[in-house]
Amino acid sequence: MPNDSKPDSKGAKSNFDYTKQAPGSHLATKQQPVPFRGGGFAPVSRPWMGFVVFFVLIAFLEAGTRIGFISALTIPKPSDVFNTFVELYSSGLLWTHLMPSLTRFVIGAAIGTVLGVSLGIAIGLFSYVRAGLVPLVAALFPVPKIALLPLFVIWFGIDEASKYALIAFGTFTPMVVATYGAVDNVDRGLIRMGQSFNLAWFSIVRKIVLPGAMAGILSGLRIALAIAIILLVAAEMLGAEYGIGAYILQAGSLYDLERLFTGVAILSILGVLVNSAIGLIEKRVLRWRM
Amino acid sequence: MDIKLSGIHHSYGEREVLRNINLDIASGQIVCIVGPSGCGKSTLLRLIGGLERPSLGDILQVGDVPEGCLNPLTYVFQDFALLPWRSVAGNISLVLEDHGISRVESQDIINNVLERCKLSDFADVFPKQISGGMKQRVAIARALAVNPAVMLMDEPLSALDSQTRELLMDDIVSLWTRKPFTAVYVTHNLAEAVRLGHRIVVLSRRPGEIREVVTIDKPLSERRHADPDLEQQQNTLWQMMRDEAMAADAELINA
């Protein structure tokens, strides 16, 4: 049998070679490469690009204010803003303003995030909680939290507590919405698997639902923390001796644009730092997605 | 432990999916359930494992759960259902964690099942890094780790290519030969059914009723790929199902 098949397959092979050029093909006619159409729509890491944009923008402003095609009244010179920042730092006032702000930011955002994630998970897991609270959250979400500051002052006093409450409230609603959306998107097949192996209810939540929802929770956290920074400044503008918001308010009322922009730049840096911190957490926690 | 189904009816709202199913699943045997698409065979499996409740009828566990069995009715899913954020070993340890087993003991179990499923070199990799065939081996290892009384396999090879499927069928046969287990194996692939089934239950199209139960006496270890006896059996099964499958194919979904 093997002896038989050997010449046979050889014959088949040479036959195949012979017909490689299909009878209908016309190799002599025009040839051109197939055009490539599959590019784009795939984000690639370009870490230096962000710095380039910042650098070009600042260089443009600096050149504009020096040469004069941007009037000094419209925008201060970036180098002056930088000098004001250095002054603020060397006088020690930077920490006097920054520390209270950071404390308010961290405490307020922590309270809001923890409560928001917990309620979001509860909404994601229990139909009654969902039916009862989703409309309430939808009603609270669009309320401008700043408008409620006087109310918070009456409830929690003029000190720190009302500022914590404002920031916490502002981070709470977006965290609830992001979390229950993320819980809804956890693969039901994995949950059924957990049930089919008789895992305890709490194990399923901790080992399947939470890790599965983590990506959505973290992207909600990005938005919530940006809102927290906005509210931090708003709270400090309405009644604080020290804090970045108070500093900006003082500068604004004196039309001291250099100091105003120094304050704004500090907030922007804070925003960038918070964002990259979340990026680092994502890289660690969501390593399995890479 | 045996499983006894008596008078099972099941419907989703107005839509009847299973009608009068009576079936005994004897321990140490692989029972294959075949039928045209949409005949309710996967639903039947979910009923057997208690993931859904039948509209009518009883599903009974007959006899005691064998000693050392952590989860009597254990599934192997078509889409593997592995946690992507846990390593291969972590996925197996998941199902041991709620049973108060010591760390050393659970490590022993993990090593043992990984070895039985030829996965020892893959303990620390993530599911994303391995092929579909390997993923299903992990899912089978995870099922073996809880020492099930009955394995409920829901089209376990349907997401794999045909070559991987052949390899995994050999693996399942050798696992069974080394240590016979009880399994209900749902598939639409008749070749799998005749290779792995001691008994083959043929369901009609929806609402699924038992049409025929075919027994194959040839021992699992003697069944080979392209075995003429099996081809014969497969052909008979196909003749039996062909018209049903055609009718099921032409049916409107949700009609």
Side-chain angles (χ1 to χ4, degrees):
Chain A
M1 193 61 178
N3 281 341
D4 263 25
S5 68
K6 214 173 180 186
D8 202 69
S9 72
K10 215 172 189 179
K13 196 170 184 219
S14 59
N15 203 2
F16 177 75
D17 281 346
Y18 182 68
T19 54
K20 208 172 199 172
Q21 189 183 336
S25 90
H26 304 286
L27 280 176
T29 54
K30 190 179 148 200
Q31 291 186 33
Q32 60 178 33
V34 173
F36 172 63
R37 295 172 290 178
F41 300 102
V44 180
S45 171
R46 299 265 186 265
W48 39 267
M49 198 55 204
F51 292 104
V52 171
V53 170
F54 271 113
F55 183 80
V56 167
L57 193 63
I58 292 171
F60 172 75
L61 291 177
E62 182 73 27
T65 43
R66 269 177 200 269
I67 296 166
F69 65 84
I70 301 175
S71 121
L73 278 177
T74 359
I75 239 166
K77 230 185 276 177
S79 55
D80 285 348
V81 172
F82 182 73
N83 288 337
T84 317
F85 179 78
V86 173
E87 242 170 66
L88 186 69
Y89 176 76
S90 50
S91 69
L93 273 176
L94 176 64
W95 299 117
T96 326
H97 286 296
L98 199 54
M99 283 329 284
S101 289
L102 284 181
T103 315
R104 288 165 193 148
F105 173 71
V106 169
I107 295 180
I111 296 172
T113 304
V114 169
L115 290 180
V117 170
S118 317
L119 187 68
I121 289 175
I123 289 177
L125 294 177
F126 305 110
S127 306
Y128 275 109
V129 182
R130 172 184 303 255
L133 293 186
V134 167
L136 184 65
V137 171
L140 289 178
F141 206 172
V143 172
K145 312 299 180 293
I146 302 167
L148 298 179
L149 188 62
L151 190 68
F152 284 132
V153 170
I154 296 170
W155 287 355
F156 301 105
I158 190 81
D159 316 325
E160 299 300 299
S162 59
K163 299 182 178 63
Y164 297 156
L166 182 73
I167 296 168
F169 192 35
T171 43
F172 171 76
T173 35
M175 282 320 290
V176 172
V177 174
T179 305
Y180 83 71
V183 171
D184 286 350
N185 278 329
V186 174
D187 185 351
R188 296 293 118 170
L190 293 181
I191 295 176
R192 289 280 169 277
M193 181 277 291
Q195 292 177 316
S196 81
F197 278 96
N198 266 341
L199 299 195
W201 181 86
F202 192 66
S203 279
I204 293 179
V205 174
R206 194 162 61 86
K207 295 169 189 168
I208 300 178
V209 174
L210 257 186
M214 201 42 96
I217 293 176
L218 285 177
S219 72
L221 192 62
R222 270 178 208 277
I223 297 166
L225 293 187
I227 293 176
I229 295 177
I230 296 172
L231 289 175
L232 165 73
V233 175
E236 289 178 341
M237 281 180 164
L238 282 170
E241 194 178 350
Y242 294 109
I244 303 298
Y247 179 80
I248 292 177
L249 188 71
Q250 277 169 23
S253 51
L254 296 172
Y255 274 86
D256 186 342
L257 289 189
E258 278 90 25
R259 285 175 63 196
L260 181 85
F261 270 80
T262 306
V264 170
I266 292 172
L267 291 179
S268 295
I269 293 170
L270 184 61
V272 171
L273 289 181
V274 165
N275 203 39
S276 35
I278 295 176
L280 283 180
I281 296 174
E282 273 178 348
K283 237 183 209 146
R284 259 195 73 85
V285 177
L286 307 178
R287 211 178 28 205
W288 53 271
R289 293 211 302 191
M290 306 299 162
Chain B
M1 190 183 94
D2 298 356
I3 302 265
K4 191 177 176 63
L5 309 181
S6 53
I8 302 295
H9 286 261
H10 195 64
S11 32
Y12 294 117
E14 293 286 283
R15 195 179 154 90
E16 193 180 11
V17 281
L18 289 169
R19 183 184 285 169
N20 196 27
I21 305 283
N22 294 292
L23 183 65
D24 290 330
I25 296 149
S27 66
Q29 279 200 341
I30 300 179
V31 175
C32 287
I33 300 178
V34 298
S37 70
C39 72
K41 48 192 191 295
S42 290
T43 306
L44 184 59
L45 201 69
R46 283 202 295 278
L47 297 177
I48 295 175
L51 285 183
E52 270 180 63
R53 255 196 285 258
S55 312
L56 260 181
D58 296 309
I59 298 168
L60 303 169
Q61 302 183 7
V62 183
D64 288 329
V65 172
E67 201 155 320
C69 167
L70 300 175
N71 188 44
L73 303 169
T74 298
Y75 283 91
V76 174
F77 297 95
Q78 180 177 0
D79 60 356
F80 324 126
L82 300 175
L83 301 184
W85 49 86
R86 286 199 179 213
S87 67
V88 165
N91 264 288
I92 298 170
S93 108
L94 174 80
V95 300
L96 301 171
E97 283 162 14
D98 280 357
H99 295 283
I101 299 171
S102 75
R103 191 168 277 268
V104 184
E105 212 176 323
S106 94
Q107 195 56 51
D108 278 351
I109 297 176
I110 293 170
N111 291 340
N112 174 278
V113 293
L114 285 179
E115 193 267 318
R116 275 160 76 190
C117 296
K118 304 178 192 167
L119 286 164
S120 298
D121 295 339
F122 296 90
D124 297 321
V125 303
F126 283 90
K128 208 183 167 178
Q129 297 168 274
I130 54 180
S131 67
M134 281 294 168
K135 282 182 199 160
Q136 197 54 289
R137 284 198 179 89
V138 176
I140 292 172
R142 176 178 63 187
L144 292 172
V146 293
N147 208 355
V150 180
M151 289 243 257
L152 304 170
M153 307 176 93
D154 187 8
E155 308 228 13
L157 307 185
S158 296
L160 306 175
D161 63 79
S162 63
Q163 294 160 20
T164 315
R165 208 177 294 169
E166 280 300 326
L167 294 175
L168 250 93
M169 269 196 270
D170 289 342
D171 286 352
I172 292 174
V173 168
S174 74
L175 279 172
W176 190 89
T177 323
R178 273 171 71 174
K179 193 179 168 197
F181 52 84
T182 317
V184 182
Y185 188 109
V186 164
T187 181
H188 63 263
N189 184 320
L190 298 178
E192 283 171 32
V194 295
R195 273 292 283 289
L196 299 173
H198 294 98
R199 284 196 303 155
I200 299 169
V201 177
V202 183
L203 292 187
S204 68
R205 78 190 152 103
R206 187 169 56 86
E209 284 180 277
I210 295 183
R211 188 122 242 254
E212 186 109 28
V213 179
V214 178
T215 308
I216 301 184
D217 292 323
K218 198 169 197 168
L220 283 196
S221 53
E222 286 169 27
R223 302 184 192 177
R224 295 275 175 273
H225 177 60
D227 183 326
D229 286 356
L230 297 184
E231 301 256 309
Q232 176 73 42
Q233 296 271 15
Q234 193 180 329
N235 242 325
T236 322
L237 285 172
W238 176 232
Q239 290 313 323
M240 210 183 291
M241 281 174 59
R242 201 187 132 87
D243 295 339
E244 296 272 354
M246 266 171 75
D249 193 39
E251 236 168 69
L252 288 178
I253 292 170
N254 293 330

